[in-house]
Amino acid sequence: MRSGDESSKKPIAARTSNSGAKVQSKDRDMGAALRTVYQRTVEETIPPEMLDLLGKLD
């Protein structure tokens, strides 16, 4: 049996125990980045051209 095959027999928790904290940290960072982008989008002003177009729909 090749040594590369041995790692596939270990329980998943044993193989990922150190990377679990890294994944949580990355998830937290990604969530914060998404919230920031969303908040900036919500606060963005609507261009006058868009308001003019919206006004024509009435």
Side-chain angles (χ1 to χ4, degrees), residues 5-54:
D5 294 337
E6 291 298 316
S7 65
S8 65
K9 292 184 179 182
K10 292 181 182 177
I12 292 174
R15 287 185 276 155
T16 61
S17 61
N18 292 336
S19 65
K22 291 179 185 178
V23 169
Q24 287 179 347
S25 176
K26 286 183 181 182
D27 286 350
R28 191 170 33 255
D29 292 345
M30 179 65 74
L34 288 170
R35 283 188 293 278
T36 299
V37 169
Y38 176 80
Q39 190 61 39
R40 288 181 182 170
T41 302
V42 167
E43 293 171 353
E44 190 173 306
T45 59
I46 301 172
E49 300 85 13
M50 182 64 73
L51 291 173
D52 289 342
L53 287 173
L54 290 171

